[in-house]
Each structure stands twice: as structure tokens, then as C-alpha cells.
Amino acid sequence: MFSKLSVVVASVLITLAAAIPNTTPPVTTPTSDQCCNSVVPSSSAAASAVAALLGLDLTGLNVPVGLSCSPITVGGNNCGSTSVVCDAPDKEWGGLIAINCIPITA
């Protein structure tokens, strides 16, 4: 039962990814403090997989990419993961990915 469900879900995700036109995200000066679960090269398999689901093409970009990010609040750095400043289009990509992430040094 569950194996059939996983095949259906995978098929739907692949179909959606194929239907979304790939766009290259702009790379601008990072301005948004983010707490990301991980920061990986834009050429990594993890970044490529998330980007593909969102219809993004990271080919040719050579920047650090934050995965599973959320904004750091004004109340303080409550980040238990990696604190970075990024191009963080959380409205566009729902916090799944952030582009051009640079570590925050205190």
C-alpha cells in the first residue's frame, strides 16, 4: 500500500517539476538574515533537487545555497542551525531555498 503511494507521489512531483519552466534566480547582494538547516554549493545534488522542484535552474551559478531557511527574528538569533545572510526570496520559494548565503560572523 505505502509503496504504491510513494510511487504516485514521486510521479506527481516529477510531473510538476517537468511542467514548471526552469528559471535562473537572480544573484544580488545578500540582505536577509536567515537560519538554514544547511548551506551547500549551488552545484550540489541537494541544491539541484530542491531547485528542480521549484522550477529553478542553478546551472552556472557558483554561490552557496541555503536549504530549509527561515528569517532570523529581530528578537535575537534563535537559530540552532546555520546563521547566514542571503538573497532570501521566502515569498517566492517558501523557505525551501535561499541563494548566495554568506555566514554571519558576530
Side-chain angles (χ1 to χ4, degrees):
M1 173 69 183
F2 288 112
S3 63
K4 289 180 184 179
L5 178 62
S6 63
V7 169
V8 171
V9 170
S11 298
V12 169
L13 289 175
I14 290 168
T15 303
L16 286 175
I20 299 171
N22 285 344
T23 58
T24 301
V27 177
T28 60
T29 304
T31 58
S32 178
D33 292 348
Q34 297 284 312
C35 179
C36 300
N37 283 347
S38 62
V39 177
V40 298
S42 55
S43 60
S44 74
S48 295
V50 172
L53 289 174
L54 296 170
L56 300 174
D57 182 7
L58 301 181
T59 305
L61 292 183
N62 188 21
V63 295
V65 172
L67 302 176
S68 297
C69 301
S70 60
I72 295 176
T73 61
V74 177
N77 182 353
N78 54 357
C79 180
S81 296
T82 305
S83 298
V84 289
V85 60
C86 305
D87 292 339
D90 53 337
K91 294 177 189 171
E92 296 174 51
W93 302 325
L96 293 175
I97 195 168
I99 306 296
N100 200 19
C101 296
I102 300 167
I104 296 174
T105 55

